[in-house]
Amino acid sequence: MAAFYAIQFHENRLVLLDQRKLPVTTAYFECKTLAEVIFAIKDMVVRGAPAIGATAAYGMYIGALELGDELDLQKLYDVKAILDASRPTAVNLMWATSRIMEKIASIHSSSVNEILKVIKSEADAIFNEDAASCKAMAVFGNTLVDQNDQILTHCNTGALATVAYGTALGVIREAHETGKSIHVFADETRPRLQGARLTAWELVTEGIPATLIPDNAAASLIRDGKINKIFVGADRIARNGDTANKIGTFMLSVIAKRYNVPFYVVAPSTTFDLDIKSGEAIEIELRDAREVTHVGEEQVAPNGIHVYNPAFDVTPNEFITAIVTEKGILYPPFTQSILDKLIEE
Ligand code: MRU
């Protein structure tokens, strides 16, 4: 288990480990208002699909507290709508706010105190269930890891991206904790550098042997047999297994297939969007040009250049070897395995 929590909630305050400041500074960002929660999600104080989901759940509670005596179902739907718009791709966000709204609608109560109690207890449940899911995925995923594996991972999918433990990085953590000798290659993950700033920090903190590489070094390492497995996370998975994840994931999956390297996605059932048939329906977040034209405060591109900065891409299901969930490992054809494990169970 990691020695820190990205998200904590006490005394009506959401306390987030400020991921913009890592790895140099460990600082916390407190949210006491809905506006602060929305800022934290948009500005990536907190990021990673499951972590965004848990944050949004407490955001619903903070938004409800702010409404005070004016709290009613319609106003709560407005809170949900603002939260849902803060980042569009990670479905865990809308999943968490929808779950809370469904629960409130089911109790048929107009008592402010009762509604607040229900929102808080549902947010706590979402938080606790994510930690348990991560551990279950780690145990399933670890069955895919062998002694001396050289594992590539992209972006940050660790304890920082979830309530605890992580998804793809959770599998890596579990493999290390159970005594497997593995080596991890972490893509730096331009332009926000989640791999360099966050994954490398988690790996160093846990003493897991690892090497940080520029994103564009992965292809030749795969071709040369230096990487024999790839584990990534997901922000949204369609009914057919098409998977949205951090920009650059698709490219890795194509190279992996060319060189017969297994490509595994690790994601909880809360990351599946069973309302969409394929990845074509996934909205890809476009982020600020400044993330590309600048590195920190330094400008690295000329004024006037056009920038295209998608935060995610979609990996078609044909490039995915298996998807590890908390309910088990899904294999192709994914439309069938998703139906069997996630819908019919
Ligand atoms: O833009 P981010 O940092 O929120 O993107 C995060 C990712 O793409 C992760 O791989 C994904 O959310 C899975 S995290 C457990």
Side-chain angles (χ1 to χ4, degrees):
M1 191 60 84
F4 60 88
Y5 281 101
I7 304 167
Q8 294 167 81
F9 192 83
H10 24 225
E11 290 160 13
N12 294 344
R13 287 167 311 143
L14 186 60
V15 182
L16 302 170
L17 179 52
D18 192 339
Q19 302 192 29
R20 300 167 307 172
K21 306 243 162 85
L22 289 170
V24 177
T25 307
T26 305
Y28 290 88
F29 183 93
E30 280 195 14
C31 306
K32 293 189 216 99
T33 64
L34 179 62
E36 285 164 341
V37 177
I38 288 173
F39 172 83
I41 296 174
K42 281 191 176 165
D43 211 50
M44 297 171 69
V45 172
V46 62
R47 26 68 48 207
I52 294 171
T55 301
Y58 286 118
M60 288 293 295
Y61 183 62
I62 289 174
L65 281 172
E66 256 175 17
L67 286 169
D69 287 344
E70 305 215 325
L71 190 157
D72 64 25
L73 209 55
Q74 188 47 53
K75 291 211 172 68
L76 276 178
Y77 273 116
D78 296 341
V79 170
K80 169 181 164 45
I82 315 174
L83 279 164
D84 287 358
S86 59
R87 286 197 78 189
T89 305
V91 76
N92 304 60
L93 198 172
M94 302 83 188
W95 169 84
T97 57
S98 301
R99 171 166 159 176
I100 287 173
M101 290 312 299
E102 277 160 30
K103 188 75 190 184
I104 294 165
S106 77
I107 61 164
H108 302 289
S109 168
S110 53
S111 147
V112 169
N113 280 344
E114 202 174 330
I115 293 174
L116 283 173
K117 225 166 101 187
V118 167
I119 301 177
K120 174 65 168 51
S121 105
E122 208 60 15
D124 287 342
I126 288 169
F127 182 93
N128 292 327
E129 286 168 24
D130 186 59
S133 275
C134 283
K135 182 65 188 173
M137 286 186 283
V139 172
F140 281 123
N142 191 22
T143 63
L144 302 168
V145 180
D146 296 307
Q147 277 297 351
N148 303 318
D149 271 351
Q150 306 265 106
I151 299 173
L152 176 71
T153 191
H154 190 63
C155 197
N156 174 267
T157 62
L160 290 166
T162 58
V163 164
Y165 221 71
T167 58
L169 202 56
V171 171
I172 288 167
R173 190 170 251 128
E174 181 76 9
H176 175 74
E177 283 175 5
T178 55
K180 288 183 185 162
S181 166
I182 54 167
H183 192 92
V184 180
F185 287 90
D187 275 346
E188 63 173 351
T189 318
R190 281 277 295 153
R192 291 289 298 222
L193 299 172
Q194 290 95 329
R197 290 174 166 282
L198 309 176
T199 302
W201 181 74
E202 289 199 45
L203 289 165
V204 168
T205 308
E206 305 266 317
I208 302 174
T211 304
L212 177 65
I213 57 168
D215 300 329
N216 32 20
S220 56
L221 284 169
I222 294 169
R223 181 202 57 203
D224 296 346
K226 301 271 167 38
I227 286 165
N228 74 323
K229 268 166 210 168
I230 301 178
F231 283 89
V232 297
D235 289 86
R236 191 184 292 231
I237 304 176
R239 270 181 97 111
N240 68 347
D242 289 354
T243 294
N245 190 48
K246 181 53 55 194
I247 189 75
T249 304
F250 171 37
M251 187 164 77
L252 291 175
S253 74
V254 176
I255 300 162
K257 187 154 187 163
R258 166 66 180 77
Y259 291 101
N260 294 319
V261 167
F263 184 90
Y264 298 116
V265 171
V266 186
S269 52
T270 52
T271 301
F272 286 72
D273 184 348
L274 301 172
D275 292 334
I276 57 168
K277 279 203 200 122
S278 77
E280 275 166 46
I282 300 177
E283 182 184 348
I284 299 295
E285 175 184 9
L286 292 178
R287 291 192 64 88
D288 202 304
R290 196 185 154 93
E291 292 183 347
V292 181
T293 58
H294 288 66
V295 175
E297 289 308 306
E298 190 191 348
Q299 184 172 341
V300 293
N303 291 333
I305 189 71
H306 291 291
V307 171
Y308 172 58
N309 183 21
F312 303 98
D313 58 26
V314 174
T315 299
N317 58 13
E318 67 191 282
F319 295 101
I320 300 169
T321 310
I323 306 176
V324 180
T325 74
E326 79 280 17
K327 300 190 175 168
I329 303 177
L330 314 183
Y331 290 95
F334 292 114
T335 305
Q336 190 58 46
S337 51
I338 288 171
L339 190 70
D340 293 346
K341 279 256 189 266
L342 302 187
I343 302 178
E344 288 187 345
E345 267 186 11

